[in-house]
Amino acid sequence: MHTEALTQPELAALAAGAPGAALVGRLGGYVAGPPMQWLWAIRESQVREHPADLEWIARPLFVDGVEPAVGIAGFHAAPSPEGSVEISYEIDPAHRGRGFASRAAALLVAEARASGRVRTVVASVAPSNEASLRIVRRLGFEQVGVVDDPEDGPELVFHLPLAG
């Protein structure tokens, strides 16, 4: 399993809802289509203001032997000055129930650790999202609070401190 960073032109095309046949073929209709266009629009605007976020934000998620992309995985932004990043993943409904979300979350934690820039990995999960709650708890995240997300409503906030 791996992610592939998007180029700024690819991100702009996805955000505009005009990815072209080649990009749709590589990413699939879920990742490159209307279900995820809202996310690409947010991230494209973000990258225009903070270009360094491009390498950290949501990226297409691929599994060897499975085409096209099975979902997206990445971070909300580059690490904060305090060294924290928030993980984000979404699996195409056609590929759910195969452990891809668990693997994606573990991949992101490993990526954060390997960067040398992250001290804390954050996950915000809706209280009703039992699958993601199991994933973050299995990875060792500890609940530290609750936030009221203006778009998603109440979310449980989890932290995973990374050693040294």
Side-chain angles (χ1 to χ4, degrees), residues 56 74-78 84-88 108 120-125 155:
W56 288 87
F75 304 93
H76 286 230
S84 68
V85 291
E86 184 169 352
I87 63 172
S88 175
L108 293 171
T120 305
V121 180
V122 179
S124 297
V125 182
E155 292 187 329

Side-chain angles (χ1 to χ4, degrees), residues 43-58:
R43 296 301 177 227
E44 194 270 337
S45 175
Q46 173 184 345
V47 167
R48 273 190 274 119
E49 290 186 37
H50 306 283
D53 284 355
L54 182 61
E55 67 182 271
W56 288 87
I57 61 166

Side-chain angles (χ1 to χ4, degrees), residues 16 21 42 56 60 66-67 88 115 145:
I42 291 169
W56 288 87
V66 179
E67 291 183 11
S88 175
S115 78

Side-chain angles (χ1 to χ4, degrees), residues 86-99:
E86 184 169 352
I87 63 172
S88 175
Y89 51 89
E90 172 86 17
I91 305 301
D92 180 333
H95 295 289
R96 291 182 184 159
R98 300 184 197 175

Side-chain angles (χ1 to χ4, degrees), residues 6-7 9-15 18-29 31-32 60 62 68-69:
L6 296 167
T7 65
E10 288 172 331
L11 183 58
L14 290 166
L23 196 53
V24 172
R26 188 173 117 230
L27 304 183
V31 173
F62 296 92

